[in-house]
Amino acid sequence: MNLQFHSLAELFAMGGHGVYVWAVYGVAALVMGALVVRPLRRHARALAAVRSARQRGR
Amino acid sequence: MLPSSPPLLAFCALSFERNDRLLFERVEGAVHGGDILQVVGANGAGKTTLLRILATLLTPTQGELRWCGGLLPRARASYLAELAFLGHVPGLKPGLSPRENLRWLAGLFAQRDAIEEALAAVGLAKWFDTPCAQLSAGMQRRVALARLALTRARLWILDEPLTAIDRAGVAVVEQLFRSHLQSGGAIIFSSHQAVDLPGVKYLALTES
Amino acid sequence: MLPSSPPLLAFCALSFERNDRLLFERVEGAVHGGDILQVVGANGAGKTTLLRILATLLTPTQGELRWCGGLLPRARASYLAELAFLGHVPGLKPGLSPRENLRWLAGLFAQRDAIEEALAAVGLAKWFDTPCAQLSAGMQRRVALARLALTRARLWILDEPLTAIDRAGVAVVEQLFRSHLQSGGAIIFSSHQAVDLPGVKYLALTES
Amino acid sequence: MAERRWQWFHRLASPPGFYRVSGRWLPWLAGTSLALLAVGVVWGLLYAPPDARQGNSYRIIFLHVPASFLALAGYYVMAAAGAIHLIWRVKLADVVMSAAAPLGAALTFLALFSGSLWGKPTWGTYWVWDARITSMLVLLFLYLGVVTLRQAYASRETAGRACAVLALVGTVNIPIIYKSVDWWYSLHQPATIRLTAAPSMHPDMFQPLVVMILAFYLFYAWVLVLNVRAEILVRERRAGWVRDLAGEGESE
Amino acid sequence: MRSPNPEPEALPSLATGFAALLRRDLLLAWRRRGEAANPLWFFAMITALVPLAVGPEPALLARLAPGMVWILALLGTMLAADSLFREDYVDGALEQLVLSPQPLWVLVLARVTAHWLVTGVPITLASPLLAGWLALPAGGVPMLVAGLALGTLTFCLFAAVGGALTVALGAGNVLRPLLVLPLYVPVLIFGTAAVARALEGGDGSAPLALLGAITAVTLAIAPVAAAAALRVGIDG
Amino acid sequence: MRSPNPEPEALPSLATGFAALLRRDLLLAWRRRGEAANPLWFFAMITALVPLAVGPEPALLARLAPGMVWILALLGTMLAADSLFREDYVDGALEQLVLSPQPLWVLVLARVTAHWLVTGVPITLASPLLAGWLALPAGGVPMLVAGLALGTLTFCLFAAVGGALTVALGAGNVLRPLLVLPLYVPVLIFGTAAVARALEGGDGSAPLALLGAITAVTLAIAPVAAAAALRVGIDG
Ligand code: HEM
Ligand SMILES: Nc1ncnc2c1ncn2[C@@H]1O[C@H](COP(=O)(O)OP(=O)(O)OP(=O)(O)O)[C@@H](O)[C@H]1O
Ligand SMILES: Nc1ncnc2c1ncn2[C@@H]1O[C@H](COP(=O)(O)OP(=O)(O)OP(=O)(O)O)[C@@H](O)[C@H]1O
Ligand SMILES: [Mg+2]
Ligand SMILES: [Mg+2]
């Protein structure tokens, strides 16, 4: 098992198919990142809301 | 009636929450045959909501309903067979005449076969065959009330039955109520007006 | 006010026929600034029809309307600029909050820019931003009535403004009426209830 | 013994119970899925040999196939949760369902997107009306229907039950829809292009693919749990245990 | 005094409930027959637009004909299904249906039957004409008609589920088609396949049988699902 | 005392009325954005049904593509136009529009603009994608987009006239398409002709110019006609 690309340029080009491959991996990274971040932020916001409600309650 | 017989409809510890807002809490009451219960309260107090819960159109957040002693979700079939409910909008098809409207309702509910007398009793003798869309607001409400004269249901649940009804009409409704109570039926209704009947009990909803 | 000044709205010899049925005939009346006119009559007498004619939503079969002395179809533009009409259904979008509803209406009509005060005055201070679909029947009517506190219109035409309004609400409406009349406005409304205001004139419609 | 098993079940099925238990899973799920993803991506992009016919474009497979798998599996998760909610009225099931719908839609989108971009270098077009592709598209519509239906209702309880009915109707229909699309493919004259099946995949390509598939399963579980936990907090924000939880965070 | 349990003879039977509702709906449709015929007109007019949009070559049109007729039948029944429960919801009749002592699925079935009689049946009967318009060879017509008879019923049943799910959501709801269109896919596939096979000189009865099976399954499931959805949906 | 004539400064200007209504409608659309995106979604789903119904061969689909996209854009805008005045009629807002001191046609124009922004524009923007789906060669796309931009606006204007005509006819959602469909014919013909010409390597700008002329005339006539119809229709 060895490295298939010998330069960054080669890696980006991927023998002419770079656009497709990198677009797919890029969009996948964005979508999957959003999938993780969204519930985390929602969780944090919910906790913050409960907290501020508690403070107002006092 | 023996005092030991269970009430027709009994509800206890009802509370209802919608969108995280507690509308009412621990509301309770009961009606026996011959009882009439008026739900009163300010606009938005939850009268409509309570009546819809009693009619099993909404599920209470907490609390239970009993029909003739049987817990309600289970006794629903026999309950519905004896319930007449009239909501804010009365369920008439605007394209059908009063007679046709009462006829299709008769197919779904146990009703006496006296549609014309019932319509005449609410003052619509001339309007048997006019499409409801061409009747005035009050006349449409009267058609809906005519159903009550036909139904064999023992419990009536009526949300603001007097809306849009003129003075003479109110007297007609009171007469309807009276004869239903005398024949052992029960009525739960909401209204901002007082009705002229003996023995009305009140259930007041206040904001919690 | 000089007695010689023409009435705000005058109507004479109005008759209306629909489907070959004469609904009313030779109805007449007039309101000056400060006048309040209650249209009364049994269900189906034609109150709604009359009010819609006065608001130019329907054309009378016979008779004429005058706004500040000008014959109506012609003076329509200046009439509409000073008219506030509230029908059986109040024209609120169920998906919008009371505040948003009053705001779009403000874009169409001359209104004071005091939406929140107006809503607070009808007891909806807590409900500025709840979609109207989630308000109770009476609360929705109150939103519609809040418009009256905002409008600069001199003539109000209101079809059953008290429907679904509780006792406290009726007092609010009466207060609204009072201040409108004091500032020289006029009101024509229909209702089966009497309102507690001095100098109410009546126009009774009876079946012809 | 049986009783203890049921206790365990009830604890897990109650929102606070699930919230507490799942908190312990989180680091593991996050760690393993991210690690496997990293390994799989580096392996697939840098070390796996190029395909004899497709060259480097085939590297899309390392995202495309796992995304497709999870998109399909996700629907069953969602439909099962909906059915459980409707039949046994387990609240947690509704939470799972509400979390699974957008997640599944996102993965379906990824599968479609990656397949579509892959199509350009291999088939010369972004899209053909192939049976599998079409059924994937229908799946996307099914997901989006559930997502939108839930958003459309103002009341959460109503939305939950309505979506459950839809999912249940879907459950009955999904197999029919898939089968029919397969039949459609064979009923009409065969399309000019076929999905290259992968019976004889080289192990050097196959191994990173397996790693990625595993990574995606773990990732799915992780995100699902994250969503469920957030949704539980939002729904139970007025419950005592949530207020206590918020208090703990405060004192830190 | 009456007994606490309802006297059975006082309650209308299942068939009475079904008949009353069916009769009501047919009467309403008759009252606005100008409108009720409309799915049919709609169907016909869009068919007329097709040659304008794709060009008038008979060969092309013939290829398209079964597919187009099926898609338009689908749209025609679906569009009209808008008012399937929506109107009843708005005027309060739906409350009465839900509170009727009759099983709700029977009433749903009555509504669907009426809707099918008013939309699906006329479309099916008109389809040979419209297919001829699109130059469909006569050999495909029997399969087209048989398929549409079954297919439009299935469409109506699914539309009922969609309509029940969205009944309380604002008027003019566009969500409903989106929920049900994916469910229509198998019907469309088998329906067009039956015609295509017949045109190729083969035997279209296999896809038709599958279509029949789908209709049967749907007939069993949809009314119950729609009834459940109505009970849920009646509370906004 | 106030003068008998309205103080001019108290009356909102024409632009205010237009803006208020436009804003209201966009707000409503935003509130149900799940739904608002739906003409688009509907459009996409029916597009997906086409290959299922007529077969997946790219050559055939490419022939159909412009016509299908146009017909579907027509259906998409028309379907959503259902609620154009109907909702306002039912909830009484229409009375207020008619009684507003603003000229009614301005308000109609505001409603149409909102409707076009919410349906026509997204459909136009999505059309290259959908055309690609149906294997339309790239050469036809510019003409398709340009034509749809004009065409969907015209469709919305026609739909307003139809909607106004039927507003008081009871849930006449299927009647309106019939009234307006004949009006759609020229738009459809020129719109598809422009794409077809471009695909043949010719110049599609002549049919496009005609399409533009139709849009201009409609823009001038339709709001006034719809306003007149509304005044009539408001009285049941
Ligand atoms: C939009 C286009 C595409 C979609 C929606 C799509 C969809 C799918 C789906 C759903 C699967 C999983 C099937 C299963 O689990 O049985 C799959 C697998 C696969 N796809 Fe695609 N695909 C697309 C385009 C492509 C292209 C262009 C290629 C390569 C030429 C490709 C190659 C593969 C391969 C090799 C597999 C794995 C097959 C297997 O292990 O069963 N796909 N695709
Ligand atoms: N759209 C219509 N078409 C035909 N006739 C109508 C129409 N609307 C009302 N009518 C008839 O006109 C008469 C008067 O109706 P109107 O609504 O004006 O009465 P009203 O006095 O407002 O009654 P209510 O107290 O019930 O509101 C009624 O007899 C009714 O049948
Ligand atoms: N669909 C709904 N969604 C959310 N909240 C609602 C809904 N319907 C009613 N409510 C809320 O419930 C409360 C009670 O409403 P309800 O209609 O029961 O009042 P009511 O007592 O009948 O008032 P009214 O006298 O005005 O008829 C109101 O505050 C209202 O905002
Ligand atoms: Mg109420
Ligand atoms: Mg009236």
Side-chain angles (χ1 to χ4, degrees):
Chain A
M1 199 167 71
N2 36 25
L3 209 54
Q4 300 293 327
F5 302 96
H6 305 297
S7 70
L8 267 185
E10 230 176 274
L11 177 64
F12 286 134
M14 287 224 164
H17 293 153
V19 202
Y20 306 110
V21 177
W22 289 113
V24 166
Y25 277 80
V27 168
L30 282 181
V31 170
M32 290 167 77
L35 283 179
V36 173
V37 170
R38 232 183 42 142
L40 285 176
R41 288 198 10 208
R42 201 151 167 251
H43 192 274
R45 249 181 293 142
L47 268 190
V50 174
R51 227 164 261 158
S52 68
R54 268 169 63 102
Q55 256 141 31
R56 258 185 286 116
R58 275 185 204 138
Chain B
M1 197 178 305
L2 299 176
S4 66
S5 82
L8 278 182
L9 184 72
F11 45 100
C12 70
L14 289 182
S15 66
F16 190 75
E17 201 181 300
R18 173 123 71 173
N19 296 343
D20 293 319
R21 196 176 136 244
L22 190 65
L23 209 58
F24 46 75
E25 221 179 352
R26 269 166 278 132
V27 167
E28 56 182 31
V31 283
H32 291 83
D35 282 359
I36 175 166
L37 180 70
Q38 178 169 4
V39 181
V40 294
N43 288 141
K47 301 178 293 299
T48 298
T49 310
L50 178 63
L51 295 183
R52 290 177 75 86
I53 290 175
L54 296 185
T56 69
L57 286 170
L58 287 176
T59 317
T61 316
Q62 259 158 38
E64 57 176 43
L65 300 170
R66 281 177 187 277
W67 169 249
C68 297
L71 210 58
L72 241 191
R74 206 149 340 125
R76 195 161 188 262
S78 70
Y79 180 47
L80 292 188
E82 302 233 49
L83 170 71
F85 174 80
L86 209 67
H88 263 287
V89 269
L92 305 173
K93 307 305 290 181
L96 298 184
S97 69
R99 189 206 305 262
E100 288 159 346
N101 266 306
L102 292 183
R103 201 179 291 146
W104 76 261
L105 284 166
L108 302 192
F109 297 90
Q111 287 198 346
R112 266 178 279 276
D113 190 24
I115 290 177
E116 299 190 356
E117 292 93 280
L119 284 172
V122 294
L124 293 174
K126 282 194 303 182
W127 305 94
F128 290 162
D129 295 311
T130 311
C132 284
Q134 294 181 17
L135 299 181
S136 80
M139 290 154 87
Q140 292 188 26
R141 293 294 301 186
R142 283 166 183 247
V143 178
L145 290 168
R147 242 192 89 200
L148 297 178
L150 292 175
T151 179
R152 295 172 191 271
R154 276 197 293 163
L155 176 64
W156 295 358
I157 298 185
L158 316 171
D159 198 1
E160 313 224 15
L162 302 179
T163 303
I165 299 288
D166 63 18
R167 302 258 166 82
V170 171
V172 171
V173 175
E174 284 166 356
Q175 183 47 44
L176 263 174
F177 281 14
R178 214 170 283 129
S179 68
H180 179 59
L181 295 174
Q182 270 158 16
S183 74
I187 302 176
I188 305 179
F189 76 108
S190 75
S191 182
H192 297 294
Q193 274 171 265
V195 295
D196 180 24
L197 284 174
V200 176
K201 284 190 271 180
Y202 294 93
L203 193 158
L205 291 178
T206 46
E207 264 189 79
S208 58
Chain C
M1 197 178 305
L2 299 176
S4 66
S5 80
L8 278 182
L9 184 72
F11 45 99
C12 69
L14 289 183
S15 66
F16 191 76
E17 203 179 298
R18 174 124 71 174
N19 298 344
D20 291 324
R21 196 177 136 244
L22 190 63
L23 209 58
F24 46 75
E25 220 178 355
R26 267 166 281 131
V27 168
E28 57 183 29
V31 283
H32 291 82
D35 282 0
I36 175 166
L37 181 69
Q38 178 169 6
V39 181
V40 294
N43 289 141
K47 301 179 292 299
T48 297
T49 309
L50 177 63
L51 294 184
R52 290 177 74 86
I53 289 175
L54 296 185
T56 70
L57 286 170
L58 287 176
T59 316
T61 315
Q62 260 159 39
E64 58 178 40
L65 299 171
R66 283 177 186 276
W67 168 248
C68 297
L71 210 58
L72 241 192
R74 209 152 333 126
R76 196 162 189 261
S78 69
Y79 180 48
L80 292 188
E82 302 232 49
L83 170 71
F85 175 80
L86 209 67
H88 263 288
V89 268
L92 305 172
K93 305 307 288 182
L96 297 184
S97 69
R99 191 208 302 265
E100 289 159 347
N101 265 307
L102 292 184
R103 202 180 289 146
W104 76 261
L105 284 167
L108 301 191
F109 296 92
Q111 285 199 346
R112 267 179 278 275
D113 189 22
I115 290 176
E116 301 191 353
E117 292 93 282
L119 285 172
V122 295
L124 292 175
K126 282 195 302 185
W127 306 93
F128 290 163
D129 296 311
T130 310
C132 285
Q134 295 182 16
L135 299 181
S136 80
M139 289 154 86
Q140 292 188 27
R141 293 295 300 187
R142 282 166 182 246
V143 177
L145 290 169
R147 243 191 87 200
L148 297 178
L150 291 174
T151 178
R152 295 172 192 272
R154 277 196 293 166
L155 177 63
W156 294 359
I157 298 185
L158 316 172
D159 199 1
E160 311 223 17
L162 303 179
T163 303
I165 299 288
D166 63 17
R167 301 257 166 85
V170 171
V172 171
V173 175
E174 285 166 356
Q175 182 48 43
L176 262 175
F177 281 15
R178 217 170 282 131
S179 68
H180 179 60
L181 295 174
Q182 270 158 15
S183 73
I187 302 175
I188 305 178
F189 76 107
S190 75
S191 182
H192 297 295
Q193 274 170 265
V195 294
D196 179 23
L197 283 173
V200 177
K201 284 189 271 179
Y202 294 93
L203 192 157
L205 292 177
T206 46
E207 266 190 78
S208 58
Chain D
M1 181 63 211
E3 209 166 84
R4 265 192 55 197
R5 207 164 59 228
W6 278 111
Q7 269 173 9
W8 169 85
F9 174 79
H10 280 298
R11 186 141 26 89
L12 200 60
S14 84
F18 181 86
Y19 187 89
R20 283 202 199 95
V21 174
S22 65
R24 275 180 258 139
W25 305 344
L26 274 185
W28 296 100
L29 286 173
T32 48
S33 66
L34 286 178
L36 283 181
L37 271 180
V39 169
V41 166
V42 170
W43 192 349
L45 278 181
L46 301 183
Y47 291 93
D51 184 76
R53 273 170 306 148
Q54 302 185 14
N56 283 312
S57 71
Y58 96 97
R59 292 180 198 280
I60 292 174
I61 200 175
F62 302 119
L63 284 176
H64 173 73
V65 170
S68 304
F69 277 18
L70 265 299
L72 289 172
Y75 196 91
Y76 291 105
V77 172
M78 183 183 81
I84 291 172
H85 171 55
L86 199 67
I87 297 168
W88 291 288
R89 299 182 179 265
V90 180
K91 264 191 196 167
L92 186 67
D94 182 44
V95 182
V96 170
M97 194 193 169
S98 74
L103 179 55
L107 288 168
T108 312
F109 167 77
L110 263 190
L112 281 170
F113 183 79
S114 59
S116 179
L117 279 198
W118 193 1
K120 188 66 182 173
T122 19
W123 304 334
T125 169
Y126 290 108
W127 191 268
V128 286
W129 290 96
D130 166 271
R132 232 182 334 177
I133 296 177
T134 306
S135 60
M136 205 65 179
L137 185 66
V138 173
L139 184 67
L140 180 68
F141 289 145
L142 285 166
Y143 271 127
L144 291 179
V146 176
V147 173
T148 322
L149 187 65
R150 186 175 290 273
Q151 280 174 357
Y153 277 98
S155 146
R156 186 185 303 127
E157 293 85 53
T158 317
R161 275 181 290 162
C163 285
V165 171
L166 182 63
L168 217 60
V169 173
T171 321
V172 177
N173 279 283
I174 296 304
I176 303 181
I177 292 175
Y178 279 169
K179 276 283 163 259
S180 73
V181 177
D182 274 345
W183 276 319
W184 166 67
Y185 184 73
S186 53
L187 284 170
H188 291 82
Q189 64 216 62
T192 40
I193 311 149
R194 287 176 144 272
L195 274 186
T196 54
S200 57
M201 210 182 212
H202 194 279
D204 284 349
M205 300 175 180
F206 192 61
Q207 284 155 6
L209 183 59
V210 172
V211 171
M212 282 300 273
I213 291 175
L214 257 181
F216 262 68
Y217 269 102
L218 288 167
F219 179 81
Y220 182 91
W222 178 37
V223 173
L224 191 69
V225 170
L226 282 182
N227 273 299
V228 168
R229 286 167 59 85
E231 181 74 21
I232 287 177
L233 267 201
V234 172
R235 290 192 187 188
E236 307 247 316
R237 64 183 170 279
R238 298 191 318 154
W241 69 271
V242 175
R243 306 179 111 244
D244 294 344
L245 193 79
E248 281 164 32
E250 222 162 43
S251 54
E252 270 166 24
Chain E
M1 228 206 85
R2 282 173 276 179
S3 78
N5 286 322
E7 310 98 77
E9 72 277 10
L11 257 189
S13 76
L14 241 144
T16 321
F18 184 91
L21 205 57
L22 182 65
R23 197 182 140 166
R24 181 200 83 171
D25 285 349
L26 293 180
L27 196 61
L28 275 170
W30 174 248
R31 281 288 142 76
R32 26 183 175 170
R33 53 196 167 281
E35 266 175 59
N38 279 334
L40 188 57
W41 290 4
F42 171 85
F43 182 56
M45 296 200 62
I46 307 264
T47 312
L49 289 183
V50 171
L52 294 177
V54 305
E57 300 93 288
L60 177 65
L61 288 178
R63 287 261 340 245
L64 289 182
M68 285 320 300
V69 170
W70 265 96
I71 289 197
L72 294 180
L74 183 158
L75 287 173
T77 48
M78 199 179 67
L79 288 181
D82 200 20
S83 54
L84 204 52
F85 297 112
R86 179 84 211 148
E87 269 181 29
D88 276 353
Y89 175 73
V90 170
D91 62 26
L94 192 58
E95 283 170 8
Q96 300 298 333
L97 297 188
V98 168
L99 290 181
S100 145
Q102 313 273 343
L104 191 51
W105 66 264
V106 173
L107 304 181
V108 169
L109 202 59
R111 294 240 54 193
V112 172
T113 310
H115 182 240
W116 182 63
L117 289 176
V118 171
T119 64
V121 170
I123 285 180
T124 306
L125 295 180
S127 62
L129 220 79
L130 296 177
W133 222 350
L134 293 180
L136 182 80
V141 169
M143 276 296 154
L144 184 68
V145 173
L148 281 177
L150 290 170
T152 49
L153 179 56
T154 320
F155 291 156
C156 291
L157 285 164
F158 281 131
V161 177
L165 281 171
T166 54
V167 73
L169 310 174
N173 197 291
V174 210
L175 182 58
R176 189 179 35 76
L178 306 178
L179 297 180
V180 299
L181 276 177
L183 304 177
Y184 288 173
V185 166
V187 179
L188 195 63
I189 288 175
F190 294 130
T192 50
V195 186
R197 287 251 179 114
L199 284 180
E200 289 160 9
D203 180 11
S205 62
L208 197 65
L210 286 170
L211 192 56
I214 294 181
T215 308
V217 171
T218 314
L219 203 52
I221 295 175
V224 178
L230 281 181
R231 272 192 234 284
V232 173
I234 196 152
D235 148 35
Chain F
M1 229 204 85
R2 281 175 277 179
S3 77
N5 286 322
E7 308 99 77
E9 72 278 9
L11 255 190
S13 76
L14 242 145
T16 320
F18 185 90
L21 204 57
L22 183 65
R23 196 182 141 166
R24 181 199 84 171
D25 285 349
L26 293 180
L27 194 63
L28 275 169
W30 174 248
R31 277 293 140 74
R32 25 185 174 169
R33 53 195 169 283
E35 265 177 60
N38 279 336
L40 188 56
W41 195 1
F42 175 82
F43 187 50
M45 292 186 74
I46 308 267
T47 312
L49 291 184
V50 172
L52 289 175
V54 305
E57 300 93 288
L60 176 65
L61 290 177
R63 287 268 331 251
L64 287 183
M68 280 325 296
V69 170
W70 266 96
I71 288 196
L72 294 181
L74 186 159
L75 286 173
T77 47
M78 203 174 67
L79 195 68
D82 200 23
S83 55
L84 205 52
F85 296 112
R86 180 86 213 144
E87 268 182 30
D88 277 352
Y89 176 71
V90 169
D91 62 25
L94 193 58
E95 281 171 10
Q96 301 298 334
L97 297 187
V98 169
L99 290 181
S100 146
Q102 314 272 343
L104 191 51
W105 66 266
V106 172
L107 303 180
V108 169
L109 202 58
R111 295 239 54 191
V112 172
T113 309
H115 181 237
W116 182 63
L117 288 176
V118 172
T119 64
V121 170
I123 286 180
T124 305
L125 294 180
S127 61
L129 221 80
L130 296 176
W133 237 9
L134 293 181
L136 182 79
V141 169
M143 276 299 153
L144 184 67
V145 173
L148 280 178
L150 291 170
T152 51
L153 179 57
T154 320
F155 290 158
C156 291
L157 287 163
F158 287 147
V161 177
L165 280 175
T166 54
V167 77
L169 296 186
N173 51 329
V174 207
L175 180 56
R176 193 186 21 71
L178 301 177
L179 293 177
V180 295
L181 269 176
L183 302 176
Y184 289 163
V185 168
V187 178
L188 200 62
I189 289 179
F190 293 129
T192 51
V195 186
R197 289 247 182 114
L199 284 179
E200 290 159 8
D203 180 11
S205 61
L208 197 66
L210 285 171
L211 192 55
I214 294 181
T215 309
V217 171
T218 315
L219 201 54
I221 295 175
V224 178
L230 282 182
R231 271 194 235 284
V232 176
I234 194 138
D235 151 33

